[in-house]
Amino acid sequence: MANSGNSIFEKIGLPKNLKWGYLGILIFMMGDGIEQGWLSPYLTNQGGLSLEDSALVFTVYGVTIAISSWLSGVMADTYGVRKTMFIGLVLYCLGVAGFTGLGLQSFDYPIILLTYGFKGLGYPLFAYTFMVWIAYKTPRKRLSTAQGWFWFVFTGGLNVLGTYYSRFALSRLGPINLLYTAIIFALTGALFALLLNPFDKKNVKSTTGIGEKLRELGKGFTILKREPKVLLAGIVRTINTTPQFAFLVFLPAFMARNGFPEQDWLFIWGTIFIGNILFNVLYGALGDKIGWRKTIIWFGAISAAIGVLLFFYSAIFSNNIYVVTACGLVWSIALAGFVPLSALTPSLVKEDKGSAVSILNLGAGLPVFVGPALVGIFHRFIGDTGLIWLFASLYVTAAILTVFIVPRKENQEPGVKY
């Protein structure tokens, strides 16, 4: 029976030695996805904030996420993955308690900015650090598939299960009690990822001296000078989900104006990401088969440029929730086409993979800041339509940049399709 179980994990490309960690990430991110579909309109309708004020809340949140995302990789190399993930857990729980118990109870705008920003320090240190664990423990020829499984559980928790749970529980628990349950999800996820998941220190560095720790942290910047293509990968990763986090600020109101109220919007948002999580695994495996860059360019960037336009215009010209959902699926599935970037980026270097992954993680964290910031800056000038065409142009730019992200010959391995 043991051999049969091992065979199943090997066939689907999920590292069996990390299986409990994957489950932990799924549960943890489910808690973090609780507020995605309704927090922005809640702040404007109940808290009296303007759209621009709400955008600033998410922008500040994105800044701290971006900082924490960058730190996740270098801290994993410096302090070890388990310790870094535990730090993320503690910061996240404190942030949820502060934002919910202080910020939303009083609707004091500076306190909301401060506490929601603090909350953003938590989940990248927990979730993105696990990507470093995967990079060290997975053979390179299966790395894209393994990272695809990471994005499967990450997105499945954040955008699907978290959204559906909030759709069910929001009216029953109320916003405040619902947000508090995020702590329960975080602690449960940590139980699986940090306690039940077997930990092997092999290939996972943990420096000891203060000077050595500072040098390791510094590599998070110096790697850009040693390998500039890591920077290109970070830019492409930033473009990948920038529209996703911009949508959370302005699309609920846009959908409502076009005949899709909050409950319909939550259904659309949760449903389209079911397709995304399934294709995270498929495109991860496809990248290992046909080439990582080819998958990113055609199934990711170009498809996303088309999908984002279809999603937007279907809401204008169709009153059918299923038509809009189907068009949204085109875009969300295309987001999964960027999955091989998680394998391509650490493959650009032979050592210091944690530092390379830190730049990729920074690119994953920046959209939480860049998306709302673009809305806050440009919405009043170019409106909803202008923003959508801006996002489509960014995806085309990502396709062009990916052409140049090729590992040096000395870093390439036989049999790996870059």
Side-chain angles (χ1 to χ4, degrees), residues 97-153:
F99 173 66
T100 308
L102 298 176
L104 293 187
Q105 292 286 1
S106 62
F107 272 114
D108 186 296
Y109 188 55
I111 294 179
I112 288 176
L113 287 174
L114 178 65
T115 55
Y116 201 58
F118 185 84
K119 175 178 175 287
L121 294 172
Y123 91 72
L125 289 180
F126 186 88
Y128 292 151
T129 297
F130 189 70
M131 292 178 64
V132 181
W133 206 343
I134 296 170
Y136 277 117
K137 302 299 293 182
T138 306
R140 192 178 295 192
K141 65 181 180 179
R142 303 299 301 275
L143 186 54
S144 180
T145 305
Q147 296 289 12
W149 277 110
F150 170 82
W151 291 111
F152 175 91
V153 297

Side-chain angles (χ1 to χ4, degrees), residues 216-232:
E216 288 292 330
L217 289 172
K219 287 180 181 179
F221 290 111
T222 60
I223 194 171
L224 297 177
K225 182 177 180 180
R226 290 182 282 115
E227 187 47 79
K229 291 176 183 177
V230 172
L231 175 60
L232 294 183

Side-chain angles (χ1 to χ4, degrees), residues 5 35 47 55 71 88 106 131 185 187 214 221-222 224 228 237 256 279 302 311 322 327 335 416 418:
E35 76 260 25
L71 286 172
S106 62
M131 292 178 64
F185 285 106
L187 294 174
L214 292 175
F221 290 111
T222 60
L224 297 177
R237 181 62 185 87
F279 276 80
I302 298 301
F311 188 27
Y322 299 107
C327 292
L335 296 184
V416 179
Y418 298 97

Side-chain angles (χ1 to χ4, degrees), residues 24 34 46 63 70 101 103 106 164 192 219 246 284 289 352:
I34 285 173
Q46 302 297 321
V63 170
W70 171 75
S106 62
Y164 278 140
F192 286 101
K219 287 180 181 179
K289 294 290 184 183
D352 301 318

Side-chain angles (χ1 to χ4, degrees), residues 330-343:
V330 177
W331 166 69
S332 71
I333 288 172
L335 296 184
F338 288 82
V339 161
L341 197 63
S342 298

